Amino acid sequence: MIQGFEEQTEPLTEYEENKLLPPIVRGLMTKVGKEKAVTNSDIVNGLRNNLHLSLTGARVRKIINHIRTHDIVPCLIATSNGYYIASTEQELREYEDSLLGREEAIRQVRQSIQRQRIARYAPQQPVLFP
């Protein structure tokens, strides 16, 4: 679990794994190609309205993360249009590049915060020869 993001990063509950995961996987398996992309809110609303299941957008993202990291729906990517299964290698390469760029941007921010913390809170060295 990541501090400050407990809801988003808490492991899947039994309810999520047994009740929510299967219909989400079934639905995503039909979303081949970007023209069939489904949004987070589409998933939330579909499960609430059609199956009377309760979940939040944050937990959908966690379930999607679980699906990806456990290879349950291969080649599942996301764009501003939603989640879908990539239909070409080029789509997968572009998505990998996008993830790498985001990973590098997060690293840069982390390193900046680390420098700033050290500069602000590291013990100041006394001036030996004023």
Side-chain angles (χ1 to χ4, degrees):
M1 226 174 347
I2 298 173
Q3 186 177 357
F5 295 91
E6 289 80 8
E7 180 187 357
Q8 296 89 337
T9 60
E10 180 179 309
L12 294 186
T13 65
E14 188 175 315
Y15 172 76
E16 290 167 337
E17 199 155 349
N18 296 329
K19 295 289 186 187
L20 299 177
L21 182 63
I24 291 174
V25 168
R26 281 194 306 274
L28 289 171
M29 293 298 285
T30 69
K31 305 303 179 200
V32 178
K34 58 185 161 190
E35 65 281 348
K36 293 193 177 178
V38 61
T39 66
N40 188 307
S41 61
D42 290 336
I43 294 169
V44 170
N45 292 331
L47 291 176
R48 283 183 183 164
N49 297 334
N50 298 321
L51 299 178
H52 309 291
L53 297 172
S54 176
L55 76 161
T56 65
R59 293 312 288 174
V60 168
R61 287 187 294 279
K62 178 59 180 182
I63 292 168
I64 294 290
N65 179 273
H66 177 86
I67 289 168
R68 288 173 166 164
T69 58
H70 289 81
D71 302 328
I72 297 171
V73 177
C75 305
L76 181 63
I77 66 174
T79 66
S80 57
N81 294 326
Y83 301 105
Y84 66 93
I85 298 170
S87 53
T88 68
E89 182 180 4
Q90 183 62 30
E91 283 178 304
L92 285 171
R93 285 182 184 271
E94 289 172 4
Y95 190 63
E96 283 180 59
D97 289 345
S98 171
L99 290 172
L100 181 60
R102 290 168 22 201
E103 182 181 331
E104 289 171 354
I106 289 170
R107 182 182 312 104
Q108 288 175 349
V109 170
R110 180 190 54 77
Q111 290 170 338
S112 295
I113 293 298
Q114 182 181 40
R115 276 193 315 273
Q116 295 163 26
R117 176 183 54 77
I118 291 169
R120 179 171 284 186
Y121 298 108
Q124 298 300 317
Q125 298 297 320
V127 177
L128 299 176
F129 305 105

Coordinates of all heavy atoms in Angstrom, one line a residue, residues 64-100:
I64 N -7.9 -2.8 -12.8 CA -7.2 -2.8 -14.1 C -5.7 -3.1 -13.9 O -5.1 -3.9 -14.6 CB -7.4 -1.5 -14.8 CG1 -8.9 -1.3 -15.2 CG2 -6.5 -1.3 -16.0 CD1 -9.4 -2.1 -16.3
N65 N -5.1 -2.5 -12.9 CA -3.7 -2.7 -12.6 C -3.4 -4.2 -12.3 O -2.5 -4.8 -12.8 CB -3.2 -1.9 -11.4 CG -1.8 -2.1 -11.0 OD1 -1.5 -3.0 -10.2 ND2 -0.9 -1.3 -11.5
H66 N -4.3 -4.8 -11.5 CA -4.2 -6.2 -11.2 C -4.3 -7.1 -12.5 O -3.6 -8.0 -12.7 CB -5.3 -6.6 -10.2 CG -5.4 -8.1 -9.9 ND1 -4.6 -8.6 -8.8 CD2 -6.1 -9.1 -10.4 CE1 -4.9 -9.9 -8.8 NE2 -5.8 -10.2 -9.7
I67 N -5.3 -6.7 -13.3 CA -5.5 -7.5 -14.6 C -4.2 -7.4 -15.4 O -3.8 -8.4 -16.0 CB -6.7 -6.9 -15.4 CG1 -8.0 -7.2 -14.6 CG2 -6.7 -7.3 -16.8 CD1 -9.2 -6.5 -15.1
R68 N -3.6 -6.2 -15.5 CA -2.4 -6.1 -16.3 C -1.2 -6.8 -15.7 O -0.5 -7.5 -16.4 CB -2.0 -4.6 -16.4 CG -3.0 -3.8 -17.3 CD -2.6 -2.4 -17.2 NE -3.3 -1.6 -18.3 CZ -3.4 -0.3 -18.2 NH1 -2.9 0.4 -17.2 NH2 -3.9 0.4 -19.2
T69 N -1.0 -6.6 -14.4 CA 0.2 -7.2 -13.8 C 0.1 -8.7 -13.6 O 1.2 -9.3 -13.4 CB 0.5 -6.5 -12.4 OG1 -0.6 -6.7 -11.6 CG2 0.8 -5.0 -12.6
H70 N -1.0 -9.3 -13.8 CA -1.2 -10.7 -13.7 C -1.5 -11.3 -15.1 O -1.9 -12.5 -15.2 CB -2.3 -11.1 -12.7 CG -1.9 -10.8 -11.3 ND1 -2.0 -9.6 -10.7 CD2 -1.4 -11.6 -10.3 CE1 -1.5 -9.6 -9.5 NE2 -1.2 -10.9 -9.2
D71 N -1.3 -10.5 -16.1 CA -1.5 -11.0 -17.5 C -2.8 -11.6 -17.8 O -3.0 -12.6 -18.6 CB -0.4 -12.0 -17.9 CG 1.0 -11.4 -17.7 OD1 1.2 -10.2 -17.9 OD2 1.9 -12.2 -17.4
I72 N -3.9 -11.1 -17.2 CA -5.2 -11.7 -17.3 C -5.8 -11.3 -18.6 O -6.5 -12.1 -19.3 CB -6.1 -11.3 -16.1 CG1 -5.5 -11.8 -14.8 CG2 -7.5 -11.8 -16.3 CD1 -6.2 -11.3 -13.5
V73 N -5.7 -10.0 -19.0 CA -6.1 -9.6 -20.4 C -4.9 -9.0 -21.0 O -4.5 -7.9 -20.8 CB -7.2 -8.5 -20.2 CG1 -7.6 -8.0 -21.6 CG2 -8.4 -9.0 -19.5
P74 N -4.2 -9.8 -21.9 CA -3.0 -9.4 -22.5 C -3.2 -8.2 -23.4 O -4.2 -8.0 -24.0 CB -2.6 -10.6 -23.4 CG -3.2 -11.8 -22.7 CD -4.5 -11.2 -22.2
C75 N -2.2 -7.3 -23.4 CA -2.1 -6.1 -24.3 C -3.2 -5.1 -24.0 O -3.6 -4.3 -24.9 CB -2.2 -6.5 -25.8 SG -0.9 -7.7 -26.2
L76 N -3.7 -5.0 -22.8 CA -4.7 -4.0 -22.3 C -4.0 -2.7 -22.1 O -3.1 -2.6 -21.3 CB -5.3 -4.5 -21.0 CG -6.4 -3.6 -20.5 CD1 -7.6 -3.4 -21.5 CD2 -6.9 -4.1 -19.1
I77 N -4.3 -1.7 -22.9 CA -3.7 -0.4 -22.8 C -4.8 0.6 -22.5 O -6.0 0.3 -22.5 CB -2.9 0.0 -24.0 CG1 -3.8 0.1 -25.3 CG2 -1.8 -1.0 -24.3 CD1 -3.1 0.7 -26.5
A78 N -4.4 1.9 -22.3 CA -5.4 2.9 -22.0 C -4.9 4.2 -22.7 O -3.7 4.5 -22.8 CB -5.5 3.2 -20.5
T79 N -5.9 4.9 -23.2 CA -5.7 6.2 -23.8 C -6.7 7.2 -23.2 O -7.5 6.7 -22.4 CB -5.8 6.2 -25.3 OG1 -7.2 5.9 -25.7 CG2 -4.9 5.2 -26.0
S80 N -6.7 8.4 -23.7 CA -7.8 9.3 -23.2 C -9.2 8.8 -23.6 O -10.1 9.3 -23.0 CB -7.5 10.7 -23.8 OG -7.5 10.7 -25.2
N81 N -9.3 7.9 -24.5 CA -10.6 7.4 -24.9 C -11.0 6.2 -24.0 O -12.2 5.8 -24.1 CB -10.6 6.9 -26.4 CG -10.4 8.1 -27.3 OD1 -10.8 9.2 -27.0 ND2 -9.7 7.8 -28.4
G82 N -10.1 5.6 -23.2 CA -10.5 4.5 -22.4 C -9.5 3.3 -22.5 O -8.4 3.4 -23.1
Y83 N -10.0 2.2 -21.9 CA -9.2 1.0 -22.0 C -9.6 0.1 -23.2 O -10.8 0.1 -23.5 CB -9.5 0.2 -20.7 CG -9.2 0.9 -19.4 CD1 -10.2 1.4 -18.6 CD2 -7.9 1.0 -19.0 CE1 -9.9 2.0 -17.4 CE2 -7.6 1.6 -17.8 CZ -8.6 2.1 -17.0 OH -8.3 2.8 -15.8
Y84 N -8.6 -0.5 -23.8 CA -8.9 -1.4 -24.8 C -7.7 -2.3 -25.1 O -6.6 -2.0 -24.6 CB -9.3 -0.7 -26.1 CG -8.2 0.1 -26.8 CD1 -7.3 -0.4 -27.7 CD2 -8.0 1.5 -26.4 CE1 -6.3 0.4 -28.3 CE2 -7.0 2.2 -26.9 CZ -6.2 1.7 -27.9 OH -5.2 2.5 -28.5
I85 N -7.9 -3.4 -25.8 CA -6.8 -4.3 -26.2 C -6.2 -3.8 -27.4 O -6.9 -3.6 -28.5 CB -7.4 -5.8 -26.3 CG1 -8.0 -6.2 -25.0 CG2 -6.3 -6.7 -26.8 CD1 -8.7 -7.5 -25.1
A86 N -4.9 -3.6 -27.4 CA -4.2 -3.1 -28.6 C -4.3 -4.1 -29.7 O -4.2 -5.4 -29.5 CB -2.7 -2.9 -28.2
S87 N -4.5 -3.6 -30.9 CA -4.6 -4.6 -32.0 C -3.3 -4.6 -32.9 O -3.3 -5.4 -33.8 CB -5.8 -4.2 -32.9 OG -5.8 -2.9 -33.2
T88 N -2.4 -3.7 -32.6 CA -1.1 -3.8 -33.3 C 0.1 -3.7 -32.4 O 0.0 -3.1 -31.3 CB -1.0 -2.6 -34.3 OG1 -0.9 -1.4 -33.6 CG2 -2.2 -2.6 -35.3
E89 N 1.2 -4.1 -32.8 CA 2.5 -4.0 -32.1 C 2.8 -2.5 -31.9 O 3.3 -2.1 -30.8 CB 3.6 -4.7 -32.7 CG 4.9 -4.7 -31.9 CD 6.1 -5.4 -32.5 OE1 5.9 -5.9 -33.7 OE2 7.1 -5.4 -31.9
Q90 N 2.6 -1.7 -32.9 CA 2.9 -0.3 -32.8 C 2.1 0.4 -31.7 O 2.7 1.2 -31.0 CB 2.5 0.4 -34.2 CG 2.9 1.9 -34.2 CD 4.4 2.1 -34.0 OE1 5.2 1.3 -34.4 NE2 4.7 3.2 -33.4
E91 N 0.8 0.0 -31.5 CA 0.1 0.6 -30.4 C 0.7 0.2 -29.0 O 0.8 1.1 -28.1 CB -1.4 0.0 -30.4 CG -2.3 0.7 -31.4 CD -3.7 0.0 -31.3 OE1 -3.8 -1.2 -31.5 OE2 -4.6 0.8 -31.2
L92 N 1.2 -1.0 -28.9 CA 1.8 -1.4 -27.7 C 3.1 -0.7 -27.5 O 3.5 -0.3 -26.4 CB 2.1 -2.9 -27.7 CG 0.8 -3.8 -27.5 CD1 1.2 -5.3 -27.7 CD2 0.3 -3.6 -26.1
R93 N 3.9 -0.5 -28.5 CA 5.2 0.2 -28.4 C 4.9 1.7 -28.0 O 5.7 2.2 -27.1 CB 6.0 0.2 -29.7 CG 6.6 -1.2 -30.0 CD 7.4 -1.1 -31.3 NE 7.9 -2.4 -31.7 CZ 9.1 -2.8 -31.3 NH1 9.9 -2.1 -30.5 NH2 9.5 -4.0 -31.6
E94 N 4.0 2.3 -28.6 CA 3.6 3.7 -28.2 C 3.2 3.8 -26.8 O 3.5 4.7 -26.1 CB 2.6 4.2 -29.2 CG 3.1 4.5 -30.6 CD 2.1 4.9 -31.6 OE1 0.9 5.0 -31.2 OE2 2.4 5.0 -32.8
Y95 N 2.4 2.8 -26.3 CA 2.0 2.8 -24.9 C 3.1 2.6 -24.0 O 3.2 3.2 -23.0 CB 0.9 1.7 -24.7 CG 0.2 1.9 -23.4 CD1 -0.5 3.0 -23.1 CD2 0.3 0.9 -22.5 CE1 -1.1 3.1 -21.8 CE2 -0.3 1.0 -21.2 CZ -1.0 2.1 -20.9 OH -1.6 2.2 -19.7
E96 N 4.0 1.7 -24.3 CA 5.2 1.4 -23.5 C 6.0 2.7 -23.4 O 6.5 3.1 -22.4 CB 6.1 0.4 -24.2 CG 5.7 -1.0 -24.0 CD 6.6 -2.0 -24.6 OE1 7.8 -2.0 -24.3 OE2 6.2 -2.8 -25.5
D97 N 6.2 3.5 -24.6 CA 6.9 4.7 -24.6 C 6.3 5.7 -23.7 O 6.9 6.5 -22.9 CB 7.1 5.3 -26.0 CG 8.0 4.5 -26.9 OD1 8.8 3.7 -26.3 OD2 7.9 4.6 -28.1
S98 N 5.0 5.8 -23.7 CA 4.2 6.7 -22.8 C 4.4 6.4 -21.4 O 4.7 7.3 -20.5 CB 2.7 6.6 -23.2 OG 1.9 7.3 -22.2
L99 N 4.4 5.1 -21.0 CA 4.6 4.7 -19.6 C 6.0 5.0 -19.2 O 6.2 5.5 -18.1 CB 4.4 3.2 -19.5 CG 2.9 2.7 -19.6 CD1 2.9 1.2 -19.6 CD2 2.1 3.3 -18.4
L100 N 7.0 4.8 -20.1 CA 8.4 5.1 -19.8 C 8.5 6.6 -19.5 O 9.2 7.0 -18.6 CB 9.3 4.7 -20.9 CG 10.8 4.9 -20.6 CD1 11.3 4.2 -19.4 CD2 11.6 4.5 -21.8

